[in-house]
Amino acid sequence: MPSRWNDDEARAACAQFAAAGELVALRVYTSRLLGGDDTLVLHGGGNTSVKTTRRDLLGRDVEVLCVKGSGWDLGDIEPPGLPAVRLDVLRELRALDQLRDEDMVNAVRGALLDATAPNPSVEALLHAFLPHAFVDHTHANAILALTDQPDPERHVRAALGDDVLVLPWIMPGFPLAKAVADAYDARPDCVGIVLARHGLFTFGDDARQSYERTIELVDRAQRYIDRQLGGAPAMLSAELGPSPLDERERALELALPVLRGACAEAKHGAPGGWQRVVTSVRTDDELAAFGLHERARELCAQNPITPDHVIRTKGHYLYLAREDWRSPDRTRRLVAEFELGYRRYWEQSARRVSPDLMLSPKPVVAVLAGVGLAALHPTSKGARIAADIAAHTLRVKAQAHALGDYVALSDDELAEMEYWPLEMRKLGKAALPELAGQVALVTGAAGAIGCGIAEVLLERGACCVLTDVDAERLRVVEQRLGAGARVHAAVADVTDEAQVEAVFAAAARAFGGVDVVVPNAGVAHVSAIERMDKQAFARVFDVNTTSTMVVLQQAARVFRAQQTGGCVVLQASKNVFAPGANFSAYSASKAAALQLARIAALEFAEMGVRVNSVNADAVFGDDDVPSQLWQLVGPDRMQARGMDAAQLRDYYRERSLLKQSVTPRHVGEAVAWFAAQRTPTTGAVLPVDGGLPEAFPR
Ligand SMILES: [Zn+2]
């Protein structure tokens, strides 16, 4: 592992962060070097510090520790992510024999120079008690493979030599800070300290020295592992190879809706009574092969490589052999057994630290033999973080196993971390958005209404699968929504059954399944009945009615696999109740679709699925995402009424009872309301038309 220190980049960082002072600027620079390597730290893990001085209001120079603040990630930290704490206050605390966590947090917060700064790292005292200007702490994979062993010191000593100290597992916070300081005082010539089953501390007089000591020690660890394993692949290799890539995809499509449904948690007040989860999967060859190894099941049932990970992934992973994930019944049974295991762990190990609260007993990470891994979390970010951590974890566990025997923290030690208030604080207290964990599938998503629906559903926390036959317009909508990983766009013609099936399969691969289905694709044809072209008429029925039936069929299949209910919101039309002349194909096909939705309400109720409809009218959209329907019928209407485009909009607004224009977002609000399932309503029609007496539902 080469050092990535670069003099030019270091100088550039000093220039960029000049206002924070050179020491802090260099601290930012090397923190980012550490954070940029996911084999050293992952997603907010690790912490760094620098000791420097700050001028107080009276012009005195005050010695401070600038230490990573909570909520910052080393990979993109900035000077405000290193809040300054008075060093003398922290150092004095070392004289205490004991310090309660609340008192420690309070004392450290009280010593902040800026009272509004984020909470300094829970390791702030450890950083303060060491004398060096720079201190770097990582959870490097190679170090963990050496220490997560029956004897944590044996391989570390052989790999790193006598330059380092090795401390046993000690609970982070004050006890660890004291232990590290005492150990250092006894061996001030050491260049680093390995914390068994936790990670590595290095230190130095300048930024480069401290950083490069981390790199040097991790490099020694890596070389040692390579020597010991004789160049064998890092991952466990099974006799059977992983499934071919396309088979892995089919497996995900089959297994994830079942798994996702089984991992949803019954929760009062959540849509349909379920806190659902979305998935993030990793299916590279190594991970796919991991699950086929004879020890895979056992390694999945062992605690994390470093305790920090427990709040993201839980202690154990769910293991599904091929015959398990192929069978919905077996998958559900194994999830139930996992829950029982977690309850047992809570009773035996966690209850004494957290008598009143048990976290969700559902698995967060599942290993699917031959396929890879899937992480499940109410937010796509949480799922992605858990999947990243799990991918690294399996590699480290495999290496540790190959070196000797993987031995992690005990359940009691892990429970103390999992339920440690200072650790749980890292997850934040923000309530989940209303539709967190829900996956919505919107057809006709490139149109104005489809875009408005997706916009509102995304704002409420849902993930969205957008599909449309028009690739160009779909790209425009995707860019406009800008929701990154929470949007998956799939070009498809909904009149083609195979393509609809493919969209639902894509939804399963992207997010694990579907909960909110919005059949919205629609076309129109303007013609009097006398002159109607039969093919054009059939084409409108094909898109507006038959495709709705096909979408309902596919939705039912997924709902049945998930067993957590769901919701369908059909975009019907004001024309269903108030039809227009020369508009028979559209009005009749939408009326048929509405009737289809009502029948689906009858048939899907036993699955807990609600089916409702929205009747919108005169939704024009805007210049970027215009309504395709109005692009088609607008000129005809303008001509018939002798109006231009703006006059036509005014006309439609003024003819409604509420004298209000209807926007795509209004339709989105209606869909989001149905998706939230706040009332036991199915088979209903909600007009979003400004109030048109002739279109009142009946
Ligand atoms: Zn740590």
Side-chain angles (χ1 to χ4, degrees), residues 387 450 667:
V667 183

Side-chain angles (χ1 to χ4, degrees), residues 45-47 123 137-139 172 195 198-199 201 306-308:
N47 42 64
E123 308 294 8
H137 171 47
T138 55
H139 303 144
L195 306 179
H198 177 167
F201 273 89
T306 184
D308 217 26

Side-chain angles (χ1 to χ4, degrees), residues 467-532:
T467 181
D468 201 287
V469 71
D470 190 328
E472 195 60 43
R473 285 176 186 245
L474 192 59
R475 237 191 324 274
V476 172
V477 167
E478 205 185 347
Q479 276 167 8
R480 174 176 172 142
L481 295 171
R486 285 199 295 130
V487 168
H488 180 87
V491 178
D493 177 351
V494 285
T495 62
D496 180 337
E497 211 173 337
Q499 293 189 40
V500 174
E501 200 178 334
V503 170
F504 276 84
R509 292 196 305 273
F511 303 118
V514 172
D515 311 291
V516 180
V517 175
V518 188
N520 167 67
V523 294
H525 178 67
V526 180
S527 168
I529 292 172
E530 269 186 282
R531 288 179 292 281
M532 179 66 73

Side-chain angles (χ1 to χ4, degrees), residues 16-277:
Q16 188 184 350
F17 304 117
E22 188 177 306
L23 290 175
V24 170
L26 290 171
R27 179 69 281 179
V28 168
Y29 171 58
T30 55
S31 298
R32 289 182 176 186
L33 291 182
L34 295 174
D37 185 338
D38 59 6
T39 68
L40 297 176
V41 284
L42 275 171
H43 295 298
N47 42 64
T48 56
S49 70
V50 59
K51 299 178 182 72
T52 177
T53 56
R54 284 283 164 83
R55 182 104 359 128
D56 73 3
L57 291 173
L58 298 172
R60 297 171 300 204
D61 282 333
V62 180
E63 259 198 299
V64 293
L65 175 79
C66 293
V67 61
K68 197 192 101 166
S70 97
W72 287 85
D73 190 293
L74 290 182
D76 55 11
I77 201 163
E78 293 172 17
L82 294 158
V85 198
R86 286 176 182 275
L87 200 47
D88 55 347
V89 177
L90 301 189
R91 280 181 174 147
E92 277 172 9
L93 295 173
R94 195 178 162 189
L96 296 171
D97 288 329
Q98 282 178 356
L99 179 60
R100 293 189 314 152
D101 291 332
E102 314 81 289
D103 293 337
M104 177 181 80
V105 171
N106 195 41
V108 173
R109 263 214 84 76
L112 279 168
L113 255 52
D114 173 359
T116 65
N119 272 325
S121 161
V122 296
E123 308 294 8
L125 292 185
L126 196 163
H127 287 261
F129 294 171
L130 289 169
H132 310 80
F134 286 80
V135 178
D136 294 37
H137 171 47
T138 55
H139 303 144
N141 286 355
I143 300 289
L144 295 172
L146 298 183
T147 78
D148 289 19
Q149 296 284 337
D151 174 2
E153 193 165 347
R154 186 168 81 89
H155 290 293
V156 175
R157 202 47 76 211
L160 307 187
D162 292 328
D163 292 352
V164 298
L165 302 178
V166 183
L167 291 187
W169 163 256
I170 298 167
M171 184 67 187
F174 188 68
L176 182 62
K178 285 265 281 190
V180 166
D182 291 347
Y184 173 80
D185 285 350
R187 273 285 311 275
D189 60 323
C190 72
V191 298
I193 299 176
V194 172
L195 306 179
R197 305 190 176 109
H198 177 167
L200 174 68
F201 273 89
T202 62
F203 20 76
D205 297 331
D206 60 54
R208 182 171 184 171
Q209 185 182 46
S210 185
Y211 162 73
E212 289 191 336
R213 280 177 172 173
T214 292
I215 299 303
E216 164 65 21
L217 293 176
V218 173
D219 187 59
R220 280 191 221 165
Q222 193 54 60
R223 283 171 195 271
Y224 173 83
I225 293 169
D226 291 345
R227 275 199 311 277
Q228 292 291 308
L229 303 188
M235 213 56 175
L236 295 181
S237 49
E239 279 176 27
L240 291 166
S243 311
L245 213 52
D246 59 335
E247 260 179 50
R248 285 176 226 169
E249 296 202 336
R250 296 297 86 73
L252 294 173
E253 293 157 14
L254 175 80
L256 290 185
V258 176
L259 181 62
R260 170 173 185 264
C263 291
E265 201 182 5
K267 183 177 162 191
H268 184 71
W274 293 103
Q275 177 56 65
R276 294 170 171 86
V277 288

